[in-house]
Amino acid sequence: MNVFGTIDRPTTHDPKKQDPTMHRPSAEPFGPEAPTRDTSSATASRQNRNLEMQLIPEALARAHMHDRLREAESERMAVRLAAARRMQRRAERASLRARRALAMAVMH
């Protein structure tokens, strides 16, 4: 296991004091030849995440209003249905009264 420093043998910048058994892995470039990372996408992602975080209350409010509108619409439909049933029963009673009146008129 290649470790840069341990508690017993910390890594120093002085080459004379460094332990010869501890060496840097050559797989990673070091110094000026090390590639620079492109952090623009990370910054954009962070900004996008911050924007999303700021828009969460708005999205919650929109969802809440959508639920309230759907609730109100369903309430209106229930009221209309109850009114339609009341009118239907009233019409049926009027129809029965008319039949009875007609039957009474025919019988006399």
Side-chain angles (χ1 to χ4, degrees):
M1 181 167 143
N2 293 335
V3 180
F4 293 128
T6 62
I7 294 174
D8 297 331
R9 295 181 179 161
T11 303
T12 65
H13 293 292
D14 187 7
K16 293 177 191 169
K17 293 183 181 176
Q18 271 190 350
D19 187 7
T21 60
M22 298 186 60
H23 60 288
R24 292 185 182 274
S26 60
E28 293 184 20
F30 179 72
E33 67 268 2
T36 57
R37 293 185 181 167
D38 179 27
T39 58
S40 63
S41 62
T43 305
S45 170
R46 196 174 311 114
Q47 287 174 348
N48 188 28
R49 188 168 53 243
N50 287 343
L51 180 63
E52 286 175 9
M53 293 290 282
Q54 289 172 355
L55 294 179
I56 285 175
E58 186 179 329
L60 284 173
R62 194 177 297 117
H64 183 68
M65 285 303 296
H66 179 71
D67 288 345
R68 294 292 300 265
L69 285 170
R70 195 172 56 225
E71 237 174 74
E73 182 63 31
S74 116
E75 179 88 16
R76 279 193 292 270
M77 288 289 286
V79 167
R80 271 188 248 145
L81 182 62
R85 285 185 177 155
R86 265 196 315 273
M87 287 190 280
Q88 182 181 5
R89 284 194 298 268
R90 189 178 299 161
E92 286 171 357
R93 284 195 302 268
S95 172
L96 282 175
R97 279 197 305 271
R99 278 187 185 179
R100 282 193 202 116
L102 184 62
M104 295 294 261
V106 169
M107 293 195 52
H108 286 241

